[in-house]
Amino acid sequence: MLAQNLFLKINSWVFTLLIILPILVIFYTAIGETTDVFSHLMSTVIGTYTLNTVLLVTGTVFLSLIMGIPSAWLMANYSIFGDRWLQWALVLPLAMPGYIVGYIYTDWFDYAGPIQLFLRYVSGWTSVAQYWCPDLRTLPGACFVLALVLHPYVYLLARAAFMEQNLTLTQSARLLGCSPMQSFFRISLPLARPAIAVGASLVAMEALGDFGTVRYFAVSTLTTAVYDTWLEYSNLNAAAKISAIMLLVIFFLISSERYSRHKQELFCQHACADKVTKVHLRGRYKLFATVWCWSLFIIAFIGPFGQLLIYTKDYYFSSSIDNFFQCSLNSLYVSSVAAVIALAIALLVNFYQRFSVTALRNVPARLASLGYAVPGTILAIGVLIALTSADHLMNSIAKETGWDKPGLLFSGSMFALLTAFVVRFSAIAIGSVESSLAKVSPSLDMAARTMGCSMRSMIKRVQLPLIRRGCLIAILLVFIESMKELNATLLLRPFNYETLATYVFNYASDEQLEYGALPAVLLILVGLIPLIMINRSLEQSHL
């Protein structure tokens, strides 16, 4: 038993340190000597990039709150037309990559697009000087597109918070003469503020780390600065310094969100809560609520996804099917391997956390989950620096011993991409396994020990069968997230290696998304799986 405990302890700490190594390497490299490239960037464009980043994050969060909170309140408390469908349909925009939505909307609003053609046809206008149409290839346009695909974070968490609130509180407010709007602003919204703050922080971190959308809209942010510094200047030191600045901003956002509610306590959420009965709206209120929710769903998901289906039908025979299948196989391979490795790490750290009696038993699981908060572009820089150093060390050893130099054994192969996926998405597997393992009663462990089971036998015969569903969910979620990952893949993929995400992005960047519509549809369909699972879990928790 002691030997098996030692095995769990050593392996848990080793894999945890390897996972956080890219993050530590970024800060270590950033405090090194400042290069001329970074000094030049600081004196010329970093100020503009920082301002654009702040405006992008602020605008995206603001629009996401406007889109997400009203729809969450309506779905949690009121009965409108099609609400049973809408309550999960409003989550689907999360499956849409921002750069795909951006491409479609700029195509629609272009001078030769259907919207301006319709305006000119109806009004008889002949020149663009006679009317105004919004230009989406701007910073506000990028905020709008990102808010369309990210506002479900706010919607999901706010809706769950509204559904958990004690119904007697709002009923008491109504008896005291408050209107529904007053009870919302005075009671429901303040009680839901922690959940809304978490949703807003998720939106902020996703917007901060977004690359595909801002790249397509030609909006220069700190994320594009990291990408360009490496690819155009081949300067990892400058890229690491910019990445460290972004990491500090991310940690500040997370710390601010937690500190803002560290003294807030909620009591009696369910103890005296009745079964929620939705209010049936009538008249103009019902019309407004129905139009708002369905319009949001159509604008954010149905419209762009329907356009992709039209592209797929019209350009199917013009697309390169061979390349599509090869990219699908590449994505399938790298995502499957990453999912299996992430699950193995999740099992290690969670079993160590369960069976260890030391005060630090929770630390590996918490540290190994840090990678998910790091944007893919920044994480790719940390992985590159760490693996490049390992390659130099291997080649130096080979030179000293007279062996053949292995070359870029780590940083120039699939190993780099797998490392980034495992570091970034192990948190998902750890959380899924941890939630399943928490439901297994400790009395089962004690019963197995009294029957003479070793730790290995207990894990194999008791724990693993009981957490099988959580393990399957962990593999599925990591697999899907790896399939969709773009930022890290663009920087770390081997030469001439394309995944579905990079394949679609390349077509969108070349203004030819029509030829990449089929893999884009596949990416979206794959991304719908975890969203449906999350919504079903939310529904079951409130039955």
Side-chain angles (χ1 to χ4, degrees):
M1 186 72 74
L2 291 176
Q4 293 169 1
N5 265 324
L6 184 62
F7 173 82
L8 283 177
K9 180 178 181 179
I10 293 176
N11 283 278
S12 296
W13 279 103
V14 168
F15 280 107
T16 298
L17 292 176
L18 289 177
I19 286 177
I20 66 172
L21 180 61
I23 302 175
L24 299 177
V25 164
I26 289 176
F27 286 107
Y28 177 79
T29 307
I31 62 177
E33 183 180 357
T34 301
T35 62
D36 294 337
V37 172
F38 183 74
S39 300
H40 172 71
L41 292 175
M42 285 294 295
S43 62
T44 54
V45 296
I46 288 296
T48 303
Y49 287 3
T50 304
L51 178 61
N52 288 343
T53 303
V54 172
L55 294 176
L56 178 76
V57 172
T58 304
T60 303
V61 170
F62 176 73
L63 292 176
S64 297
L65 294 175
I66 291 178
M67 296 177 186
I69 294 177
S71 55
W73 169 251
L74 292 171
M75 287 296 100
N77 296 282
Y78 297 98
S79 178
I80 62 175
F81 173 73
D83 57 342
R84 292 190 63 182
W85 292 88
L86 273 174
Q87 63 187 2
W88 62 265
L90 287 171
V91 185
L92 300 186
L94 269 180
M96 300 290 295
Y99 56 91
I100 293 179
V101 177
Y103 179 94
I104 292 172
Y105 267 92
T106 53
D107 185 55
W108 285 349
F109 281 88
D110 194 35
Y111 180 78
I115 293 178
Q116 293 202 44
L117 287 176
F118 176 76
L119 289 176
R120 291 196 296 270
Y121 174 78
V122 171
S123 62
W125 292 323
T126 58
S127 171
V128 70
Q130 297 176 287
Y131 63 94
W132 176 84
C133 190
D135 181 13
L136 291 185
R137 290 184 182 272
T138 57
L139 181 58
C143 293
F144 171 74
V145 168
L146 285 175
L148 283 181
V149 300
L150 296 178
H151 80 272
Y153 282 122
V154 177
Y155 164 78
L156 267 175
L157 295 171
R159 176 171 165 253
F162 289 141
M163 292 173 67
E164 291 174 352
Q165 289 177 5
N166 196 329
L167 187 61
T168 58
L169 295 175
T170 54
Q171 290 174 340
S172 301
R174 297 299 303 275
L175 290 175
L176 292 172
C178 287
S179 65
M181 191 65 67
Q182 289 175 326
S183 65
F184 169 74
F185 282 106
R186 294 184 179 184
I187 297 176
S188 299
L189 189 61
L191 289 176
R193 189 176 72 89
I196 294 173
V198 173
S201 64
L202 288 174
V203 172
M205 287 189 290
E206 290 290 338
L208 181 65
D210 179 80
F211 174 77
T213 307
V214 295
R215 186 72 167 188
Y216 179 74
F217 278 75
V219 177
S220 298
T221 64
L222 291 176
T223 302
T224 60
V226 172
Y227 185 86
D228 294 337
T229 302
W230 165 235
L231 289 187
E232 294 184 10
Y233 295 101
S234 299
N235 194 305
L236 277 177
N237 180 274
K241 290 182 181 296
I242 301 173
S243 299
I245 295 173
M246 294 185 65
L247 281 177
L248 291 176
V249 172
I250 291 171
F251 293 150
F252 172 77
L253 289 174
I254 297 174
S255 302
S256 299
E257 182 273 322
R258 292 182 177 178
Y259 180 79
S260 67
R261 54 188 176 90
H262 75 288
K263 292 184 178 180
Q264 187 173 23
E265 296 179 298
L266 300 178
F267 300 99
C268 193
Q269 287 191 340
H270 301 287
C272 54
D274 300 324
K275 185 178 180 179
V276 177
T277 302
K278 291 187 176 182
V279 178
H280 291 270
L281 294 175
R282 292 182 176 85
R284 65 178 183 272
Y285 299 107
K286 182 177 182 179
L287 178 62
F288 171 78
T290 303
V291 170
W292 172 265
C293 293
W294 278 104
S295 298
L296 188 60
F297 174 53
I298 292 172
I299 292 172
F301 184 79
I302 291 295
F305 188 68
Q307 183 65 69
L308 282 177
L309 293 178
I310 295 174
Y311 286 157
T312 302
K313 179 180 70 70
D314 294 342
Y315 292 87
Y316 177 79
F317 294 103
S318 301
S319 304
S320 178
I321 302 300
D322 292 338
N323 290 338
F324 164 67
F325 283 123
Q326 184 60 51
C327 293
S328 301
L329 291 175
N330 292 342
S331 294
L332 178 65
Y333 170 74
V334 69
S335 301
S336 300
V337 175
V340 172
I341 297 174
L343 176 62
I345 294 174
L347 291 173
L348 272 175
V349 298
N350 276 291
F351 282 136
Y352 171 66
Q353 182 175 266
R354 185 177 182 91
F355 296 124
S356 177
V357 294
T358 63
L360 300 177
R361 63 182 182 274
N362 297 328
V363 175
R366 302 287 80 82
L367 289 178
S369 301
L370 289 177
Y372 194 64
V374 182
T377 305
I378 298 175
L379 184 61
I381 295 300
V383 171
L384 270 176
I385 296 173
L387 296 186
T388 301
S389 300
D391 282 332
H392 288 321
L393 178 61
M394 289 286 292
N395 282 274
S396 299
I397 294 175
K399 182 180 179 180
E400 293 295 330
T401 56
W403 297 344
D404 293 333
K405 292 183 180 180
L408 301 178
L409 181 63
F410 299 117
S411 60
S413 65
M414 188 63 62
F415 185 83
L417 191 56
L418 285 172
T419 301
F421 286 174
V422 171
V423 171
R424 180 154 165 73
F425 301 124
S426 287
I428 301 175
I430 291 172
S432 180
V433 173
E434 184 177 17
S435 62
S436 295
L437 202 57
K439 299 175 184 178
V440 179
S441 174
S443 61
L444 293 177
D445 300 349
M446 291 184 285
R449 287 176 179 173
T450 58
M451 298 178 68
C453 285
S454 64
M455 181 182 296
R456 180 182 300 174
S457 178
M458 180 170 36
I459 291 175
K460 181 180 178 180
R461 301 173 63 181
V462 179
Q463 305 288 348
L464 288 179
L466 292 175
I467 65 172
R468 182 177 57 219
R469 184 173 180 272
C471 293
L472 291 175
I473 293 175
I475 282 185
L476 182 62
L477 292 178
V478 175
F479 173 81
I480 292 168
E481 290 296 327
S482 300
M483 288 275 289
K484 298 191 301 178
E485 174 61 30
L486 173 67
N487 298 5
T489 309
L490 285 173
L491 285 174
L492 297 176
R493 57 180 173 161
F495 291 112
N496 297 323
Y497 190 90
E498 296 284 353
T499 64
L500 283 176
T502 60
Y503 186 71
V504 174
F505 178 73
N506 289 336
Y507 273 116
S509 300
D510 295 338
E511 302 288 346
Q512 293 180 329
L513 181 61
E514 297 85 353
Y515 298 101
L518 180 60
V521 169
L522 179 59
L523 269 181
I524 294 169
L525 292 177
V526 168
L528 292 179
I529 298 175
L531 298 180
I532 295 173
M533 293 171 57
I534 291 171
N535 191 72
R536 287 187 62 184
S537 175
L538 180 64
E539 290 300 313
Q540 292 173 0
S541 64
H542 291 93
L543 288 177

